[in-house]
Amino acid sequence: MTAPGSGSGYEGTAGVSAPWWRHAWVVVLAGGIVMGLALGVRHVQGLFLLPITSEKGWSREIFGLAMAVQNLTWGIVQPFTGMSADRFGSIKVVAIGLVLYALGLYGMATATTPTGFVLTAGVCIGVALSGTAFGVIYAAVGRLVAPERRAWAMGMAGAIGGLGQFIMVPAAQELLGALGWKASLTILAVTMATLLPLAIPLKESAAGVAHPNIETVPEQRATEVVREAFSHSGFWLLNLGFLACGFQLAFVGNHLPAYLIDKGMSPKDGVGALATIALTNVIGIYVCSVLGGRFRQKYLLSGLYLARTSVIALFLLVPLSRVSVYSFSAAMGLLWLGAVPLTNGVLSRVFGMRYLSTLFGLVFLGHQLGSFLGVWMGGYVFDTTRSYDPIWFIAMALGVLAAVVHWPIDDRQILRAAPGLAPA
């Protein structure tokens, strides 16, 4: 049995130092890079909307449907991916996710029919994201780093991931301008495949079972923990709040560039908006992670959703200009993925770390249901009304709802008297 280390995640038996790839900074860096590029490629998919639909002669609803299926697939598969990571180890799940991501991007570039496009861009990449994004990465980092450094580690992994998203925006735009959308997607596919070695530092001893950095609790089966969560009202309130989060982020991330072009702004403004969101997200996710280690996460979540809704309202009220676009993007970025470590924090606070991947996957299903609705309804409503205004108003209403439902969550730790017994 290993013991927590003060500066390197944990050390080997009898005080023997762990190998370099077990040190906390390596784990954080590897997890952050994988998560950053996985989310970064997803973040820039809105830049491909107009080039793909124009060349293929498809409607925006077809592209929106593929992205909606991607989000919904991600959400549906995430609980099972989380269970697999908890049982078999994160390294296998991350490696498979990277391979599927590469195949999905290549298939997206070579698809000749809307059905093929939906299957590759939607289903394949959706499954890939479930193994390479925060659901698995945050849980792995949390288990591999000593408890006293967990808030820092998750914050740093999220910040590195946000930086990866930021870098991906200008990179994707340069590729599109120089090589076109098909070659760009192929290069992104190769890039994802080259990340496979970064899964190695995320390998957990005994597939995460009885890990030294997991607090000692009476042993439970995954099914018992899931039943426990389903009977907890806070679990369902987190689901409802996360639905609003997914709706807002998917709509803005996929439709903001097209919205700005429709309003007479240049494609560069859309690229700049996404890049600004990604850049300020680096700061926002780190700050939210650190604050979550000091204050009640449920109250921080309520404040975050209320602030995000206010930012959207202000963006719609003021005259559209480059100043308003970049101000909106900077503010949204600060609030972009901060909800993820905070939601993780509530789950680990109530249910513990052992099955965090599984429980986050179940809560994340609500997020991805919202993402499906946000990206698909954005395309459908625009094709029907030639306006995105109804979706903006729905996004604000859901934000207010999310702020309200997080406040009463019972976030006290469940006390387990013995295996198989009901929580105290």
Side-chain angles (χ1 to χ4, degrees):
M1 179 70 69
T2 54
S6 59
S8 60
Y10 65 93
E11 297 179 338
T13 305
V16 178
S17 296
W20 65 269
W21 51 273
R22 282 296 200 189
H23 287 228
W25 66 270
V26 179
V27 172
V28 168
L29 189 62
I33 292 174
V34 170
M35 183 167 60
L37 291 186
L39 295 177
V41 172
R42 175 179 178 265
H43 186 65
V44 299
Q45 286 176 349
L47 300 178
F48 291 84
L49 188 156
L50 294 180
I52 290 176
T53 55
S54 297
E55 181 173 325
K56 296 288 188 180
W58 297 340
S59 68
R60 293 189 190 184
E61 185 182 358
I62 291 175
F63 187 93
L65 177 62
M67 297 301 106
V69 169
Q70 179 189 110
N71 285 298
L72 188 59
T73 301
W74 184 5
I76 292 173
V77 175
Q78 187 68 70
F80 303 101
T81 306
M83 292 177 190
S84 299
D86 288 336
R87 182 174 181 181
F88 302 111
S90 299
I91 180 174
K92 296 177 182 178
V93 172
V94 172
I96 293 172
L98 289 171
V99 171
L100 288 176
Y101 215 136
L103 293 174
L105 288 169
Y106 181 73
M108 184 177 172
T110 56
T112 58
T113 64
T115 301
F117 187 76
V118 170
L119 290 175
T120 54
V123 177
C124 190
I125 294 181
V127 175
L129 281 163
S130 72
T132 55
F134 27 70
V136 171
I137 299 297
Y138 273 138
V141 171
R143 287 192 285 254
L144 287 166
V145 175
E148 64 271 15
R149 307 192 70 201
R150 192 169 289 150
W152 164 83
M154 288 189 175
M156 284 301 298
I160 294 169
L163 185 61
Q165 288 181 264
F166 167 70
I167 294 172
M168 188 56 64
V169 176
Q173 183 63 16
E174 286 296 319
L175 288 173
L176 280 167
L179 303 173
W181 66 270
K182 290 183 180 179
S184 299
L185 287 171
T186 303
I187 291 174
L188 292 177
V190 173
T191 301
M192 297 306 296
T194 61
L195 297 182
L196 276 169
L198 295 181
I200 295 174
L202 301 176
K203 182 178 181 180
E204 300 154 283
S205 58
V209 178
H211 194 278
N213 291 328
I214 302 176
E215 296 81 355
T216 302
V217 296
E219 183 59 28
Q220 282 185 301
R221 293 189 297 269
T223 53
E224 292 176 328
V225 175
V226 170
R227 284 197 299 267
E228 188 177 72
F230 281 5
S231 65
H232 196 288
S233 62
F235 177 84
W236 297 108
L237 293 176
L238 284 173
N239 260 286
L240 183 57
F242 233 14
L243 183 146
C245 180
F247 187 98
Q248 293 173 332
L249 268 55
F251 169 64
V252 172
N254 285 278
H255 291 282
L256 181 61
Y259 172 80
L260 296 178
I261 292 173
D262 293 339
K263 294 294 184 179
M265 304 192 76
S266 71
K268 290 184 178 180
D269 293 316
V271 175
L274 292 182
T276 302
I277 289 173
L279 181 60
T280 53
N281 177 54
V282 176
I283 302 170
I285 198 168
Y286 180 76
V287 170
C288 286
S289 297
V290 173
L291 290 177
R294 299 179 181 178
F295 303 101
R296 298 278 287 277
Q297 293 101 335
K298 68 172 188 174
Y299 296 141
L300 293 172
L301 282 165
S302 289
L304 183 148
Y305 286 116
L306 191 59
R308 194 189 285 172
T309 301
S310 301
V311 168
I312 294 174
L314 189 61
F315 177 60
L316 297 179
L317 286 173
V318 302
L320 188 66
S321 66
R322 282 189 173 87
V323 173
S324 69
V325 169
Y326 286 100
S327 298
F328 166 77
S329 301
M332 282 296 290
L334 291 173
L335 306 166
W336 194 251
L337 288 180
V340 176
L342 294 177
T343 300
N344 251 307
V346 175
L347 287 171
S348 61
R349 178 189 182 102
V350 177
F351 301 103
M353 288 293 301
R354 174 65 183 89
Y355 291 103
L356 183 58
S357 294
T358 301
L359 295 178
F360 180 81
L362 292 168
V363 170
F364 191 66
L365 179 58
H367 184 283
Q368 293 310 96
L369 177 59
S371 297
F372 173 88
L373 294 173
V375 69
W376 172 73
M377 287 179 64
Y380 176 77
V381 168
F382 179 86
D383 286 342
T384 304
T385 67
R386 312 309 298 176
S387 172
Y388 284 115
D389 288 348
I391 306 299
W392 286 114
F393 291 122
I394 293 173
M396 288 188 288
L398 288 174
V400 173
L401 176 64
V404 171
V405 301
H406 279 91
W407 199 267
I409 290 176
D410 182 0
D411 59 352
R412 293 172 296 178
Q413 180 182 8
I414 290 179
L415 302 177
R416 302 179 178 99
L421 296 182

